[in-house]
Amino acid sequence: MLDPLPPPPAWLRDAVDPWAIYFNVPAISDHIHEVLIAFIVYQLIHFILSPWLSPLIFPRHYPQLNRRTKLNWDVHVVSLVQSIFINVVALWAMFADEERKSMNVGERVYGYTGVCGMLGAFAAGYFVYDLIVSAIYIRMFGIGMLFHAISALWVFSFGYRPFVNFYSPVFILYELSSPFLNIHWFLDKLNMTGSNLQWYNGMMLLFTFFCCRLVWGTWQSVLVYRDMWYALKQTWASHTLPGAPIDISSQVFSVLDNTSHCLDDTCSSTTATAELSRFASYTANGVPTWLVLTYVTANLVLNSLNYFWFSKMVETVMKRFRVPPSSSAAPSRTTKTEEKDSQLKEDIYIAQTVVLDAAAKLEQEEGSLFHGDAVAGTIASAVDTGFVDELRRRKADVTSASTGGSSRI
């Protein structure tokens, strides 16, 4: 599918082209305006829209925050908007891009579609914003967030060689859990720690994290490794033959059928075919080994972090069940009905605290690596005094219920 947005102005393309060729990312010239638009929009949200709207929507909370927490609030607003928007675009691209659906293994490595290029541009615009914010406030957010922004921007730039442009929307879907993580943070700052809303949000956070990052992410990583191994073997074989290296592009790209998959009826199948192999001359020599190793290393690091974070969540849940909450002995004359009611409240309490504990642990672990502030303490941790106080209050209510007192679950 072609990029649904208009192309960049000629002056901008002419200014970017020499740099795009020099850094071997020729496709970026068609999407540089989208990178700039995304970057400017996120800057406006951070420095203008969020500071203006937040006090109007949350007049009892936002104005009371200190300067550091306000800054972190604005960063989370940008992250929330970006994660929702980029996930919607990624899902749309996966279902609407017919050229992408018809790609063979070689085309998945070397092929290009404009809509995937647009998606990568919007993601790159956010990572540029993230890079600048983390560099300016490095003492607040720490070196981890800066490194994460650099790494993400570096990896997404590969799609403009083009290299595994096909997988741009696939790995964007890792971010399906991010909106719930941001909402979890906001609920803490709105004094809703331990609320039913945070509990339901926590369940969605854990569910999407497990499904998208562990199940979906691991399976798609296996697929991209398989495709890259095919391309790497093809490259090695072409360079071992006598004479000049074989043009890989002539072996990879197949002629599409006569069905038009473009945005309107005036677009022919020839245009769709040309787009798929548009940058074939830049990939004629195949894929370099260092590029595959870089991509695999980055992917393994990210997947390892996801498993590490999830293991911490599981550990938190297991601790909750291994150490049952203490409660006073029930009175000798307690009826069976009262005992069942007390047990039901205890089960509800355990279920809620398990989910909230795990969600808070996830935010704490992600924050410690990517949003932590080693100088002045953790900014984004959900395991704060309010969370602990809320759990103590709930436990006290359950205990009082078991002894005949009033309950409030």
Side-chain angles (χ1 to χ4, degrees):
M1 175 183 285
L2 300 176
D3 188 339
L5 298 183
W11 64 265
L12 181 59
R13 184 194 297 272
D14 293 341
V16 172
D17 264 339
W19 297 100
I21 300 301
Y22 179 79
F23 289 106
N24 201 21
V25 285
I28 194 64
S29 297
D30 290 335
H31 303 282
I32 186 62
H33 61 307
E34 294 162 347
V35 176
L36 294 175
I37 290 172
F39 169 72
I40 293 172
V41 167
Y42 293 135
Q43 288 279 357
L44 292 176
I45 293 174
H46 182 142
F47 293 104
I48 297 179
L49 192 61
S50 179
W52 174 60
L53 278 181
S54 297
L56 298 179
I57 301 176
F58 306 103
R60 293 188 303 164
H61 300 90
Y62 185 85
Q64 308 305 319
L65 301 176
N66 58 41
R67 181 175 176 272
R68 167 194 233 40
T69 309
K70 283 182 179 178
L71 171 62
N72 204 24
W73 176 290
D74 298 333
V75 170
H76 275 78
V77 169
V78 176
S79 177
L80 179 62
V81 172
Q82 188 268 345
S83 58
I84 294 175
F85 170 73
I86 205 70
N87 281 313
V88 170
V89 176
L91 289 170
W92 170 74
M94 292 179 68
F95 286 102
D97 191 350
E98 296 296 335
E99 281 77 49
R100 181 182 175 277
K101 293 179 182 178
S102 64
M103 286 183 179
N104 59 37
V105 60
E107 292 166 347
R108 289 197 294 268
V109 176
Y110 300 106
Y112 163 85
T113 65
V115 70
C116 287
M118 179 196 69
L119 176 66
F122 289 146
Y126 172 76
F127 293 135
V128 172
Y129 153 82
D130 196 26
L131 175 61
I132 293 177
V133 169
S134 5
I136 293 175
Y137 302 104
I138 188 170
R139 295 188 62 184
M140 174 178 288
F141 293 108
I143 193 67
M145 186 173 179
L146 179 63
F147 178 75
H148 176 257
I150 295 173
S151 301
L153 187 60
W154 167 252
V155 170
F156 264 84
S157 69
F158 294 161
Y160 295 103
R161 293 179 67 92
F163 175 68
V164 292
N165 174 263
F166 170 92
Y167 285 96
S168 295
V170 168
F171 291 111
I172 281 292
L173 294 185
Y174 271 42
E175 296 301 315
L176 278 173
S177 63
S178 294
F180 302 106
L181 188 62
N182 284 297
I183 292 172
H184 188 90
W185 186 92
F186 283 119
L187 291 175
D188 280 328
K189 299 304 173 280
L190 296 175
N191 299 324
M192 298 182 67
T193 302
S195 63
N196 287 336
L197 178 58
Q198 193 179 51
W199 180 51
Y200 294 131
N201 179 78
M203 288 193 295
M204 288 302 300
L205 169 60
L206 304 186
F207 175 77
T208 54
F209 186 92
F210 176 78
C211 293
C212 298
R213 299 205 179 202
L214 300 191
V215 179
W216 169 263
T218 301
W219 172 241
Q220 293 300 320
S221 294
V222 171
L223 296 182
V224 73
Y225 296 161
R226 180 199 62 186
D227 290 349
M228 288 190 296
W229 177 241
Y230 163 85
L232 200 57
K233 289 193 301 181
Q234 188 181 41
T235 301
W236 291 344
S238 70
H239 285 77
T240 57
L241 295 176
I246 297 175
D247 183 353
I248 299 293
S249 301
S250 63
Q251 301 182 17
V252 168
F253 294 106
S254 58
V255 178
L256 297 179
D257 58 28
N258 292 325
T259 304
S260 174
H261 301 303
C262 299
L263 295 177
D264 53 58
D265 295 336
T266 64
C267 181
S268 66
S269 60
T270 303
T271 305
T273 304
E275 182 190 44
L276 185 63
S277 57
R278 181 178 173 186
F279 300 98
S281 60
Y282 296 94
T283 59
N285 292 329
V287 56
T289 304
W290 69 264
L291 184 60
V292 173
L293 293 178
T294 300
Y295 197 96
V296 170
T297 300
N299 185 269
L300 286 175
V301 169
L302 180 58
N303 284 340
S304 298
L305 286 174
N306 288 331
Y307 277 95
F308 169 75
W309 290 331
F310 194 75
S311 69
K312 292 297 182 181
M313 293 157 55
V314 172
E315 180 183 344
T316 301
V317 171
M318 295 306 296
K319 284 182 179 178
R320 175 64 60 183
F321 285 103
R322 283 198 299 264
V323 184
S326 59
S327 60
S328 302
S332 57
R333 295 184 179 181
T334 300
T335 64
K336 292 183 178 180
T337 302
E338 291 172 337
E339 289 177 353
K340 290 181 179 179
D341 184 63
S342 176
Q343 184 61 47
L344 176 61
K345 289 181 170 62
E346 191 79 3
D347 292 342
I348 295 174
Y349 162 78
I350 292 175
Q352 289 177 327
T353 53
V354 161
V355 171
L356 293 175
D357 276 349
K361 188 65 175 179
L362 172 59
E363 185 175 358
Q364 182 187 37
E365 291 299 329
E366 278 209 44
S368 66
L369 290 170
F370 293 153
H371 301 280
D373 181 9
V375 177
T378 302
I379 297 175
S381 174
V383 187
D384 56 11
T385 304
F387 182 74
V388 175
D389 291 343
E390 176 67 19
L391 294 185
R392 288 175 177 172
R393 180 186 66 78
R394 285 170 171 260
K395 183 56 189 170
D397 291 343
V398 173
T399 303
S400 64
S402 65
T403 58
S406 62
S407 63
R408 185 178 59 177
I409 297 296

